[in-house]
Coordinates of all heavy atoms in Angstrom, one line a residue:
M1280 N 16.0 -19.6 91.0 CA 16.8 -20.7 90.6 C 18.2 -20.4 91.1 O 18.8 -19.4 90.8 CB 16.8 -20.8 89.0 CG 17.7 -21.9 88.5 SD 17.5 -22.0 86.7 CE 19.1 -21.5 86.2
S1281 N 18.8 -21.3 91.8 CA 20.1 -21.1 92.4 C 21.1 -21.9 91.5 O 20.9 -22.9 91.0 CB 20.2 -21.5 93.8 OG 20.0 -22.9 93.9
L1282 N 22.3 -21.3 91.4 CA 23.4 -21.9 90.6 C 24.2 -22.8 91.5 O 24.5 -22.4 92.7 CB 24.3 -20.8 90.0 CG 23.6 -19.9 89.0 CD1 24.6 -18.9 88.5 CD2 23.1 -20.8 87.8
S1283 N 24.7 -23.9 91.0 CA 25.5 -24.8 91.8 C 27.0 -24.3 91.6 O 27.3 -23.4 90.8 CB 25.5 -26.2 91.3 OG 26.1 -26.3 90.0
V1284 N 27.9 -24.8 92.4 CA 29.3 -24.5 92.3 C 29.8 -24.8 90.9 O 30.6 -24.0 90.3 CB 30.1 -25.2 93.4 CG1 31.6 -25.0 93.2 CG2 29.6 -24.9 94.8
F1285 N 29.4 -25.8 90.3 CA 29.8 -26.2 89.0 C 29.3 -25.2 87.9 O 30.1 -24.9 87.0 CB 29.3 -27.6 88.6 CG 29.9 -28.7 89.5 CD1 29.1 -29.3 90.4 CD2 31.3 -29.0 89.5 CE1 29.7 -30.3 91.3 CE2 31.8 -29.9 90.3 CZ 31.0 -30.6 91.2
D1286 N 28.1 -24.7 88.1 CA 27.6 -23.7 87.2 C 28.4 -22.4 87.3 O 28.8 -21.8 86.2 CB 26.1 -23.4 87.5 CG 25.2 -24.5 87.2 OD1 25.5 -25.3 86.3 OD2 24.2 -24.7 87.9
I1287 N 28.7 -22.0 88.5 CA 29.5 -20.8 88.7 C 30.9 -20.9 88.1 O 31.4 -20.0 87.4 CB 29.6 -20.4 90.2 CG1 28.1 -20.1 90.7 CG2 30.5 -19.3 90.4 CD1 28.0 -20.0 92.2
L1288 N 31.5 -22.1 88.3 CA 32.9 -22.3 87.8 C 32.8 -22.3 86.2 O 33.7 -21.8 85.6 CB 33.4 -23.7 88.3 CG 33.9 -23.7 89.7 CD1 34.3 -25.1 90.1 CD2 35.1 -22.8 89.9
A1289 N 31.8 -23.0 85.7 CA 31.7 -23.0 84.2 C 31.5 -21.6 83.7 O 32.2 -21.2 82.7 CB 30.5 -23.9 83.8
E1290 N 30.7 -20.8 84.3 CA 30.5 -19.4 83.8 C 31.8 -18.6 83.9 O 32.1 -17.8 83.0 CB 29.4 -18.8 84.7 CG 28.0 -19.3 84.4 CD 27.5 -19.0 83.0 OE1 27.8 -17.9 82.4 OE2 26.8 -19.8 82.4
Q1291 N 32.5 -18.8 85.0 CA 33.8 -18.1 85.1 C 34.8 -18.5 84.1 O 35.5 -17.6 83.5 CB 34.4 -18.3 86.5 CG 33.7 -17.6 87.6 CD 34.2 -18.0 89.0 OE1 35.0 -19.0 89.2 NE2 33.8 -17.2 90.0
R1292 N 34.9 -19.8 83.8 CA 35.8 -20.2 82.8 C 35.4 -19.8 81.4 O 36.3 -19.4 80.6 CB 35.9 -21.8 82.8 CG 36.7 -22.2 84.0 CD 36.9 -23.7 84.0 NE 37.7 -24.1 85.2 CZ 37.9 -25.3 85.6 NH1 37.5 -26.3 84.8 NH2 38.6 -25.5 86.7
I1293 N 34.1 -19.7 81.1 CA 33.7 -19.2 79.8 C 34.0 -17.7 79.7 O 34.5 -17.3 78.7 CB 32.2 -19.5 79.6 CG1 31.9 -21.0 79.5 CG2 31.6 -18.7 78.5 CD1 30.4 -21.4 79.5
A1294 N 33.8 -17.0 80.8 CA 34.1 -15.5 80.7 C 35.5 -15.3 80.5 O 35.9 -14.4 79.8 CB 33.6 -14.9 82.0
E1295 N 36.4 -16.1 81.2 CA 37.9 -15.9 81.0 C 38.3 -16.2 79.6 O 39.1 -15.5 79.0 CB 38.6 -16.8 82.0 CG 38.5 -16.4 83.5 CD 39.0 -17.5 84.4 OE1 39.5 -18.5 84.0 OE2 38.8 -17.3 85.6
A1296 N 37.7 -17.3 79.0 CA 38.0 -17.7 77.6 C 37.6 -16.6 76.7 O 38.3 -16.3 75.7 CB 37.4 -19.0 77.3
L1297 N 36.4 -16.0 76.9 CA 36.0 -14.8 76.1 C 36.9 -13.7 76.2 O 37.3 -13.1 75.1 CB 34.6 -14.4 76.6 CG 33.4 -15.1 76.0 CD1 32.1 -14.7 76.8 CD2 33.2 -14.9 74.5
R1298 N 37.4 -13.4 77.4 CA 38.4 -12.2 77.5 C 39.7 -12.5 76.8 O 40.3 -11.6 76.2 CB 38.6 -12.0 79.0 CG 37.6 -11.1 79.7 CD 38.1 -10.6 81.1 NE 38.3 -11.7 82.0 CZ 37.3 -12.3 82.7 NH1 36.1 -11.8 82.6 NH2 37.5 -13.2 83.6
R1299 N 40.1 -13.8 76.8 CA 41.4 -14.1 76.1 C 41.2 -14.2 74.6 O 42.1 -14.4 73.9 CB 41.9 -15.5 76.7 CG 42.4 -15.4 78.1 CD 43.2 -16.6 78.5 NE 42.4 -17.8 78.4 CZ 41.7 -18.4 79.3 NH1 41.7 -17.9 80.5 NH2 40.9 -19.5 79.1
G1300 N 39.9 -14.2 74.1 CA 39.7 -14.3 72.7 C 39.7 -15.7 72.1 O 39.8 -15.9 70.9
E1301 N 39.5 -16.7 73.0 CA 39.6 -18.1 72.5 C 38.4 -18.5 71.6 O 38.5 -19.5 70.9 CB 39.7 -19.0 73.7 CG 41.0 -18.9 74.5 CD 41.1 -19.8 75.7 OE1 40.4 -20.8 75.7 OE2 41.9 -19.5 76.6
F1302 N 37.3 -17.7 71.7 CA 36.2 -18.0 70.8 C 36.1 -17.2 69.5 O 35.3 -17.4 68.7 CB 34.9 -17.8 71.6 CG 34.7 -18.6 72.8 CD1 34.5 -18.0 74.1 CD2 34.8 -20.0 72.8 CE1 34.3 -18.8 75.2 CE2 34.7 -20.8 73.9 CZ 34.5 -20.2 75.1
D1303 N 37.1 -16.3 69.3 CA 37.1 -15.4 68.2 C 37.3 -16.1 66.9 O 36.7 -15.7 65.9 CB 38.2 -14.3 68.4 CG 37.8 -13.4 69.5 OD1 36.7 -13.4 70.0 OD2 38.7 -12.6 69.9
R1304 N 38.1 -17.1 66.8 CA 38.4 -17.7 65.5 C 37.8 -19.2 65.3 O 38.4 -20.0 64.6 CB 39.9 -17.7 65.3 CG 40.4 -16.3 65.0 CD 41.9 -16.3 64.9 NE 42.6 -16.4 66.2 CZ 42.7 -15.5 67.1 NH1 42.1 -14.3 66.9 NH2 43.4 -15.7 68.2
L1305 N 36.7 -19.4 66.0 CA 36.1 -20.7 65.8 C 35.4 -20.8 64.5 O 35.0 -19.8 63.9 CB 35.0 -20.9 66.9 CG 35.6 -21.1 68.3 CD1 34.4 -21.1 69.3 CD2 36.4 -22.3 68.4
P1306 N 35.3 -22.0 63.9 CA 34.6 -22.2 62.6 C 33.1 -21.6 62.8 O 32.4 -21.9 63.7 CB 34.6 -23.7 62.4 CG 35.6 -24.2 63.3 CD 35.8 -23.3 64.4
G1307 N 32.7 -20.8 61.8 CA 31.4 -20.3 61.9 C 31.2 -19.1 62.7 O 30.1 -18.6 62.9
A1308 N 32.3 -18.5 63.2 CA 32.2 -17.3 64.1 C 31.5 -16.2 63.3 O 31.8 -15.9 62.1 CB 33.6 -16.9 64.5
G1309 N 30.6 -15.5 64.0 CA 29.9 -14.4 63.3 C 28.7 -14.8 62.5 O 28.0 -14.0 62.0
R1310 N 28.5 -16.1 62.4 CA 27.3 -16.6 61.6 C 26.3 -17.2 62.6 O 26.7 -17.8 63.6 CB 27.7 -17.6 60.5 CG 28.6 -17.0 59.5 CD 28.8 -17.9 58.3 NE 29.3 -19.2 58.7 CZ 30.5 -19.7 58.5 NH1 31.4 -18.9 58.0 NH2 30.8 -20.9 58.9
P1311 N 25.0 -17.2 62.2 CA 24.0 -17.9 63.1 C 24.2 -19.4 63.2 O 24.7 -20.0 62.2 CB 22.7 -17.5 62.4 CG 23.0 -17.0 61.1 CD 24.4 -16.6 61.0
L1312 N 23.9 -19.9 64.3 CA 24.0 -21.4 64.4 C 22.9 -22.0 63.6 O 21.8 -21.5 63.6 CB 23.8 -21.8 65.9 CG 24.9 -21.3 66.9 CD1 24.6 -21.6 68.3 CD2 26.3 -21.9 66.5
V1313 N 23.2 -23.2 63.1 CA 22.2 -23.9 62.3 C 22.0 -25.3 63.0 O 23.0 -26.0 63.1 CB 22.6 -24.1 60.8 CG1 21.6 -25.0 60.1 CG2 22.8 -22.8 60.1
F1314 N 20.8 -25.5 63.4 CA 20.6 -26.8 64.1 C 19.8 -27.7 63.2 O 18.6 -27.4 62.9 CB 19.8 -26.6 65.4 CG 20.5 -25.8 66.4 CD1 20.2 -24.5 66.6 CD2 21.5 -26.4 67.1 CE1 20.9 -23.7 67.6 CE2 22.2 -25.7 68.1 CZ 22.0 -24.3 68.3
D1315 N 20.4 -28.7 62.6 CA 19.7 -29.6 61.7 C 18.9 -30.6 62.4 O 17.9 -31.1 61.9 CB 20.7 -30.3 60.8 CG 21.4 -29.3 59.8 OD1 20.7 -28.4 59.4 OD2 22.5 -29.6 59.4
E1316 N 19.3 -30.9 63.6 CA 18.5 -31.9 64.4 C 17.7 -31.3 65.5 O 18.2 -30.3 66.1 CB 19.5 -32.9 65.0 CG 20.3 -33.7 64.0 CD 19.3 -34.7 63.2 OE1 18.4 -35.3 63.8 OE2 19.5 -34.8 62.0
E1317 N 16.6 -31.8 65.7 CA 15.7 -31.3 66.8 C 15.8 -32.4 67.9 O 15.2 -33.4 67.8 CB 14.3 -31.2 66.4 CG 14.1 -30.0 65.4 CD 14.1 -28.7 66.1 OE1 13.8 -28.7 67.4 OE2 14.3 -27.7 65.5
P1318 N 16.5 -32.1 69.0 CA 16.8 -33.2 70.0 C 15.5 -33.6 70.8 O 15.5 -34.7 71.3 CB 17.8 -32.5 71.0 CG 17.6 -31.0 70.8 CD 17.2 -30.9 69.3
L1319 N 14.4 -32.8 70.7 CA 13.3 -33.1 71.5 C 12.3 -33.9 70.7 O 11.2 -34.4 71.2 CB 12.6 -31.9 72.0 CG 13.4 -31.0 73.0 CD1 12.7 -29.8 73.4 CD2 13.9 -31.8 74.2
L1320 N 12.5 -34.1 69.4 CA 11.6 -34.9 68.5 C 12.1 -36.4 68.5 O 13.2 -36.7 68.7 CB 11.7 -34.4 67.1 CG 11.1 -33.0 66.8 CD1 11.3 -32.6 65.4 CD2 9.7 -32.9 67.2
S1321 N 11.1 -37.2 68.2 CA 11.4 -38.6 68.1 C 12.3 -38.9 66.9 O 12.3 -38.0 66.0 CB 10.1 -39.4 68.1 OG 9.5 -39.2 66.8
A1322 N 12.9 -40.0 66.9 CA 13.8 -40.3 65.7 C 12.9 -40.4 64.4 O 13.3 -40.0 63.3 CB 14.5 -41.7 65.9
E1323 N 11.7 -40.9 64.6 CA 10.8 -41.0 63.4 C 10.4 -39.7 62.9 O 10.4 -39.4 61.7 CB 9.5 -41.8 63.8 CG 9.8 -43.3 64.1 CD 10.2 -43.5 65.6 OE1 10.2 -42.5 66.4 OE2 10.7 -44.6 65.9
Q1324 N 10.1 -38.7 63.8 CA 9.7 -37.4 63.4 C 10.9 -36.6 62.7 O 10.7 -35.9 61.8 CB 9.1 -36.6 64.6 CG 8.6 -35.2 64.1 CD 7.4 -35.4 63.2 OE1 6.5 -36.1 63.5 NE2 7.4 -34.6 62.1
R1325 N 12.1 -36.8 63.3 CA 13.3 -36.2 62.7 C 13.5 -36.7 61.3 O 13.8 -36.0 60.4 CB 14.5 -36.5 63.6 CG 14.6 -35.6 64.8 CD 15.9 -35.6 65.4 NE 16.5 -36.9 65.8 CZ 16.3 -37.5 66.9 NH1 15.6 -36.9 67.9 NH2 16.8 -38.7 67.2
M1326 N 13.3 -38.0 61.1 CA 13.5 -38.6 59.8 C 12.4 -38.1 58.8 O 12.7 -37.7 57.6 CB 13.4 -40.2 59.8 CG 13.4 -40.8 58.5 SD 15.0 -40.5 57.6 CE 16.1 -41.6 58.5
A1327 N 11.2 -38.0 59.2 CA 10.1 -37.4 58.4 C 10.4 -36.0 58.0 O 10.3 -35.6 56.9 CB 8.8 -37.5 59.1
N1328 N 10.9 -35.2 59.0 CA 11.3 -33.8 58.7 C 12.4 -33.7 57.7 O 12.5 -32.8 56.9 CB 11.6 -33.1 60.0 CG 10.4 -32.8 60.9 OD1 9.3 -33.1 60.5 ND2 10.6 -32.4 62.1
H1329 N 13.4 -34.6 57.9 CA 14.5 -34.6 57.0 C 14.1 -34.9 55.5 O 14.6 -34.3 54.6 CB 15.5 -35.7 57.5 CG 16.8 -35.8 56.6 ND1 17.8 -34.9 56.7 CD2 17.2 -36.7 55.8 CE1 18.7 -35.2 55.8 NE2 18.4 -36.4 55.3
I1330 N 13.2 -35.9 55.4 CA 12.7 -36.2 54.1 C 11.9 -35.1 53.4 O 12.1 -34.7 52.3 CB 11.8 -37.5 54.1 CG1 12.7 -38.7 54.5 CG2 11.0 -37.7 52.8 CD1 11.9 -40.0 54.8
L1331 N 11.1 -34.4 54.3 CA 10.3 -33.3 53.8 C 11.3 -32.1 53.4 O 11.1 -31.5 52.3 CB 9.4 -32.8 54.8 CG 8.1 -33.6 55.1 CD1 7.4 -33.2 56.3 CD2 7.2 -33.6 53.9
K1332 N 12.3 -31.9 54.2 CA 13.3 -30.8 53.9 C 14.0 -31.1 52.6 O 14.2 -30.2 51.7 CB 14.3 -30.7 55.0 CG 15.3 -29.6 54.8 CD 16.2 -29.5 56.0 CE 17.3 -28.5 55.8 NZ 18.2 -28.4 56.9
N1333 N 14.4 -32.4 52.4 CA 15.1 -32.7 51.1 C 14.2 -32.6 49.9 O 14.7 -32.4 48.8 CB 15.7 -34.1 51.2 CG 16.9 -34.2 52.1 OD1 17.5 -33.2 52.4 ND2 17.2 -35.4 52.5
A1334 N 12.9 -32.7 50.1 CA 11.9 -32.6 49.0 C 11.5 -31.2 48.8 O 10.7 -30.9 48.0 CB 10.7 -33.5 49.3
G1335 N 12.1 -30.2 49.6 CA 11.8 -28.8 49.5 C 10.5 -28.5 50.2 O 9.9 -27.4 49.8
M1336 N 10.0 -29.2 51.1 CA 8.8 -29.0 51.8 C 9.1 -28.8 53.3 O 10.2 -29.2 53.7 CB 7.8 -30.1 51.6 CG 7.5 -30.4 50.1 SD 6.3 -31.7 50.0 CE 4.8 -31.0 50.5
A1337 N 8.2 -28.3 54.0 CA 8.3 -28.1 55.5 C 7.2 -28.9 56.2 O 6.1 -29.1 55.6 CB 8.3 -26.7 55.8
P1338 N 7.4 -29.3 57.4 CA 6.4 -29.9 58.2 C 5.2 -29.0 58.3 O 5.4 -27.7 58.3 CB 7.0 -30.2 59.5 CG 8.5 -30.1 59.3 CD 8.7 -29.2 58.1
P1339 N 4.0 -29.5 58.5 CA 2.8 -28.6 58.6 C 2.9 -27.6 59.8 O 2.4 -26.5 59.7 CB 1.6 -29.6 58.8 CG 2.1 -30.9 58.4 CD 3.6 -30.9 58.5
E1340 N 3.6 -28.0 60.8 CA 3.7 -27.2 62.0 C 4.5 -25.8 61.6 O 4.2 -24.8 62.2 CB 4.5 -27.9 63.1 CG 3.8 -29.0 63.8 CD 4.1 -30.3 63.0 OE1 4.9 -30.4 62.1 OE2 3.4 -31.3 63.4
I1341 N 5.4 -25.9 60.7 CA 6.2 -24.7 60.3 C 5.3 -23.7 59.7 O 5.3 -22.5 60.0 CB 7.3 -25.1 59.4 CG1 8.3 -26.1 60.1 CG2 8.1 -23.9 58.9 CD1 9.0 -25.6 61.3
G1342 N 4.4 -24.2 58.7 CA 3.5 -23.3 58.1 C 2.5 -22.7 59.1 O 2.2 -21.5 59.0
L1343 N 2.1 -23.5 60.0 CA 1.1 -23.0 61.0 C 1.8 -21.9 61.9 O 1.2 -20.9 62.2 CB 0.6 -24.2 61.8 CG -0.6 -24.0 62.6 CD1 -1.8 -23.4 61.7 CD2 -1.1 -25.3 63.2
R1344 N 3.1 -22.2 62.3 CA 3.8 -21.2 63.1 C 4.0 -19.9 62.4 O 3.9 -18.8 62.9 CB 5.1 -21.8 63.5 CG 5.0 -22.8 64.6 CD 6.4 -23.4 64.9 NE 6.4 -24.5 65.8 CZ 6.3 -24.5 67.1 NH1 6.3 -23.3 67.7 NH2 6.2 -25.6 67.8
K1345 N 4.2 -20.0 61.0 CA 4.4 -18.7 60.2 C 3.0 -18.0 60.2 O 3.0 -16.8 60.3 CB 4.8 -19.1 58.8 CG 6.3 -19.5 58.8 CD 6.7 -19.8 57.4 CE 8.2 -20.2 57.3 NZ 8.6 -20.5 56.0
E1346 N 1.9 -18.7 60.0 CA 0.6 -18.1 60.0 C 0.4 -17.4 61.4 O -0.1 -16.2 61.4 CB -0.5 -19.1 59.8 CG -0.6 -19.5 58.4 CD -1.8 -20.5 58.2 OE1 -3.0 -20.0 58.4 OE2 -1.6 -21.6 57.9
I1347 N 0.7 -18.0 62.5 CA 0.5 -17.5 63.8 C 1.3 -16.2 64.0 O 0.8 -15.2 64.5 CB 0.8 -18.5 64.9 CG1 -0.2 -19.6 64.9 CG2 1.0 -17.9 66.3 CD1 0.1 -20.8 65.7
A1348 N 2.6 -16.2 63.5 CA 3.4 -15.1 63.6 C 2.9 -13.9 62.8 O 2.9 -12.7 63.3 CB 4.9 -15.4 63.2
A1349 N 2.4 -14.2 61.6 CA 1.8 -13.1 60.8 C 0.6 -12.5 61.4 O 0.4 -11.3 61.4 CB 1.5 -13.7 59.4
L1350 N -0.3 -13.4 62.0 CA -1.5 -12.9 62.6 C -1.1 -12.0 63.9 O -1.8 -11.0 64.1 CB -2.4 -14.0 63.0 CG -3.2 -14.6 61.8 CD1 -4.1 -15.8 62.4 CD2 -4.1 -13.6 61.1
R1351 N -0.1 -12.4 64.6 CA 0.3 -11.7 65.8 C 0.8 -10.3 65.4 O 0.5 -9.3 66.0 CB 1.3 -12.4 66.6 CG 0.8 -13.5 67.4 CD 1.8 -14.2 68.3 NE 1.2 -15.1 69.2 CZ 1.8 -16.2 69.6 NH1 3.0 -16.5 69.3 NH2 1.2 -17.0 70.5
A1352 N 1.5 -10.2 64.3 CA 2.0 -8.9 63.8 C 0.8 -8.1 63.3 O 0.8 -6.9 63.5 CB 3.0 -9.1 62.7
Q1353 N -0.1 -8.7 62.6 CA -1.3 -8.0 62.1 C -2.1 -7.5 63.2 O -2.7 -6.4 63.1 CB -2.1 -9.0 61.2 CG -3.2 -8.3 60.5 CD -4.0 -9.4 59.7 OE1 -3.6 -10.5 59.6 NE2 -5.0 -8.9 59.0
L1354 N -2.2 -8.3 64.3 CA -3.1 -7.9 65.4 C -2.7 -6.5 66.0 O -3.6 -5.8 66.5 CB -3.0 -9.0 66.5 CG -4.0 -9.0 67.6 CD1 -5.4 -9.2 67.0 CD2 -3.7 -10.2 68.6
E1355 N -1.4 -6.2 66.0 CA -1.0 -5.0 66.6 C -1.5 -3.7 65.8 O -1.5 -2.6 66.3 CB 0.6 -4.9 66.6 CG 1.1 -6.0 67.6 CD 2.7 -6.0 67.5 OE1 3.3 -5.1 66.9 OE2 3.2 -7.0 68.1
T1356 N -1.8 -3.9 64.5 CA -2.3 -2.8 63.7 C -3.8 -2.6 63.6 O -4.2 -1.7 63.0 CB -1.7 -2.9 62.3 OG1 -2.3 -4.1 61.7 CG2 -0.2 -3.1 62.3
L1357 N -4.5 -3.6 64.2 CA -6.0 -3.6 64.0 C -6.7 -3.1 65.2 O -6.1 -3.1 66.3 CB -6.4 -5.0 63.7 CG -5.9 -5.6 62.4 CD1 -6.4 -7.1 62.3 CD2 -6.4 -4.8 61.2
E1358 N -7.9 -2.7 65.0 CA -8.8 -2.2 66.1 C -10.2 -2.8 65.9 O -10.5 -3.2 64.8 CB -8.8 -0.7 66.2 CG -7.5 -0.1 66.5 CD -7.6 1.5 66.6 OE1 -8.7 2.0 66.3 OE2 -6.6 2.1 66.8
G1359 N -11.0 -2.7 67.0 CA -12.4 -3.0 66.9 C -12.7 -4.4 66.4 O -12.1 -5.4 66.9
E1360 N -13.7 -4.5 65.6 CA -14.2 -5.8 65.1 C -13.1 -6.6 64.3 O -13.0 -7.8 64.5 CB -15.4 -5.6 64.2 CG -16.2 -6.9 64.0 CD -17.5 -6.5 63.2 OE1 -18.2 -5.7 63.6 OE2 -17.7 -7.2 62.2
A1361 N -12.3 -6.0 63.5 CA -11.3 -6.6 62.8 C -10.3 -7.3 63.7 O -9.8 -8.4 63.5 CB -10.6 -5.7 61.8
R1362 N -9.9 -6.6 64.8 CA -9.0 -7.1 65.8 C -9.6 -8.3 66.5 O -8.9 -9.3 66.6 CB -8.7 -6.0 66.8 CG -7.7 -6.4 67.8 CD -7.4 -5.3 68.8 NE -6.6 -5.7 69.9 CZ -5.2 -5.7 69.9 NH1 -4.6 -5.3 68.8 NH2 -4.5 -6.1 70.9
E1363 N -10.8 -8.3 66.8 CA -11.5 -9.5 67.4 C -11.5 -10.7 66.5 O -11.3 -11.8 66.9 CB -12.9 -9.1 67.9 CG -12.9 -8.2 69.2 CD -12.1 -8.8 70.3 OE1 -12.3 -10.0 70.6 OE2 -11.2 -8.1 70.8
R1364 N -11.8 -10.4 65.2 CA -11.8 -11.5 64.3 C -10.5 -12.2 64.1 O -10.3 -13.4 64.2 CB -12.3 -11.0 62.9 CG -12.4 -12.1 61.8 CD -12.8 -11.5 60.5 NE -12.0 -10.3 60.0 CZ -10.7 -10.4 59.5 NH1 -10.1 -11.5 59.4 NH2 -10.1 -9.3 59.2
V1365 N -9.4 -11.4 64.1 CA -8.0 -11.9 64.0 C -7.7 -12.6 65.3 O -7.0 -13.7 65.2 CB -7.0 -10.8 63.6 CG1 -5.6 -11.3 63.8 CG2 -7.3 -10.3 62.2
R1366 N -8.1 -12.1 66.4 CA -7.8 -12.8 67.7 C -8.4 -14.2 67.8 O -7.8 -15.1 68.2 CB -8.3 -11.9 68.9 CG -7.4 -10.8 69.2 CD -7.8 -10.0 70.4 NE -7.8 -10.8 71.5 CZ -8.3 -10.5 72.7 NH1 -8.8 -9.3 72.9 NH2 -8.3 -11.3 73.7
R1367 N -9.7 -14.2 67.3 CA -10.4 -15.6 67.2 C -9.6 -16.5 66.3 O -9.4 -17.7 66.7 CB -11.8 -15.4 66.8 CG -12.7 -14.9 67.9 CD -14.2 -15.0 67.5 NE -14.5 -14.3 66.3 CZ -14.9 -13.0 66.3 NH1 -14.9 -12.3 67.4 NH2 -15.2 -12.4 65.2
E1368 N -9.2 -16.0 65.1 CA -8.5 -16.9 64.2 C -7.2 -17.3 64.8 O -6.8 -18.5 64.6 CB -8.3 -16.1 62.9 CG -7.7 -16.9 61.8 CD -7.6 -16.2 60.5 OE1 -8.1 -15.1 60.3 OE2 -6.9 -16.7 59.6
L1369 N -6.5 -16.4 65.4 CA -5.2 -16.7 66.1 C -5.4 -17.8 67.1 O -4.6 -18.7 67.2 CB -4.6 -15.4 66.7 CG -3.3 -15.5 67.4 CD1 -2.2 -16.0 66.4 CD2 -2.9 -14.2 67.9
G1370 N -6.4 -17.6 68.0 CA -6.7 -18.6 69.0 C -6.9 -20.0 68.4 O -6.4 -21.0 68.9
L1371 N -7.7 -20.1 67.3 CA -7.9 -21.4 66.6 C -6.6 -22.0 66.1 O -6.4 -23.2 66.2 CB -8.9 -21.2 65.5 CG -10.4 -20.9 65.9 CD1 -11.3 -20.6 64.7 CD2 -10.9 -22.1 66.7
L1372 N -5.8 -21.1 65.5 CA -4.5 -21.7 65.0 C -3.6 -22.2 66.1 O -2.9 -23.2 65.9 CB -3.8 -20.6 64.2 CG -4.4 -20.2 62.8 CD1 -3.6 -19.1 62.1 CD2 -4.6 -21.4 61.9
I1373 N -3.6 -21.5 67.2 CA -2.8 -21.9 68.4 C -3.3 -23.3 68.9 O -2.5 -24.2 69.2 CB -2.8 -20.8 69.4 CG1 -1.9 -19.6 68.9 CG2 -2.2 -21.4 70.7 CD1 -2.0 -18.4 69.8
L1374 N -4.6 -23.4 68.9 CA -5.2 -24.7 69.3 C -4.8 -25.8 68.3 O -4.5 -26.9 68.8 CB -6.7 -24.6 69.5 CG -7.2 -23.8 70.7 CD1 -8.8 -23.7 70.6 CD2 -6.8 -24.5 71.9
R1375 N -4.9 -25.5 67.0 CA -4.5 -26.5 66.0 C -3.0 -26.9 66.2 O -2.7 -28.1 66.1 CB -4.7 -26.0 64.6 CG -6.1 -26.1 64.2 CD -6.4 -25.6 62.7 NE -5.4 -26.1 61.8 CZ -5.1 -25.5 60.6 NH1 -5.8 -24.4 60.3 NH2 -4.2 -25.9 59.8
L1376 N -2.2 -25.9 66.5 CA -0.8 -26.2 66.7 C -0.6 -27.1 67.9 O 0.2 -28.1 67.9 CB 0.1 -24.9 66.8 CG 1.5 -25.1 67.0 CD1 2.2 -25.8 65.9 CD2 2.2 -23.8 67.2
A1377 N -1.3 -26.8 69.0 CA -1.1 -27.6 70.2 C -1.6 -29.1 69.9 O -1.0 -30.0 70.4 CB -2.0 -27.0 71.3
E1378 N -2.7 -29.2 69.2 CA -3.2 -30.5 68.8 C -2.2 -31.3 68.0 O -2.0 -32.5 68.2 CB -4.5 -30.4 68.1 CG -5.2 -31.7 67.7 CD -5.5 -32.6 68.9 OE1 -5.8 -32.0 70.0 OE2 -5.5 -33.8 68.8
M1379 N -1.6 -30.6 67.0 CA -0.5 -31.3 66.2 C 0.6 -31.8 67.0 O 1.2 -32.8 66.8 CB 0.0 -30.3 65.1 CG -0.9 -30.1 64.0 SD 0.0 -28.9 62.9 CE -1.0 -29.0 61.4
Q1380 N 1.0 -31.0 68.0 CA 2.2 -31.3 68.8 C 1.9 -32.5 69.8 O 2.8 -33.2 70.2 CB 2.6 -30.1 69.6 CG 3.3 -29.0 68.7 CD 3.6 -27.8 69.4 OE1 3.0 -27.4 70.5 NE2 4.5 -27.0 68.9
R1381 N 0.6 -32.6 70.1 CA 0.2 -33.8 71.0 C 0.2 -35.1 70.3 O 0.4 -36.1 70.9 CB -1.2 -33.5 71.6 CG -1.1 -32.9 72.9 CD -2.5 -32.8 73.5 NE -3.0 -31.5 73.1 CZ -4.3 -31.2 73.1 NH1 -5.2 -32.0 73.4 NH2 -4.6 -30.0 72.8
R1382 N 0.1 -35.1 69.0 CA 0.0 -36.3 68.2 C 1.4 -36.9 68.0 O 2.4 -36.6 68.0 CB -0.6 -36.1 66.8 CG -2.1 -35.9 67.0 CD -2.7 -35.9 65.6 NE -3.8 -34.9 65.6 CZ -4.1 -34.2 64.6 NH1 -3.6 -34.4 63.5 NH2 -5.1 -33.4 64.7

């Protein structure tokens, strides 16, 4: 991937501003960014997620992603037949997540 002249200029200006400390006292400095909106979701899906969040619930995809992450962590500690069982379960969960995202 090649950078355009504009990309290079933008990177240089950002680096200069960093050196001058212009980003040091911005609101929220030192805290993680919080993205309330998902720009790649449809407006309807964002609204549904907002309603679920206000009700103290999460979209089903979030729970599925957490399960996948837990199984991946568990997979590193297993061997033999147990490892294969978890790999199959992990594969099924990944397929379910892909199917959810297609809808």
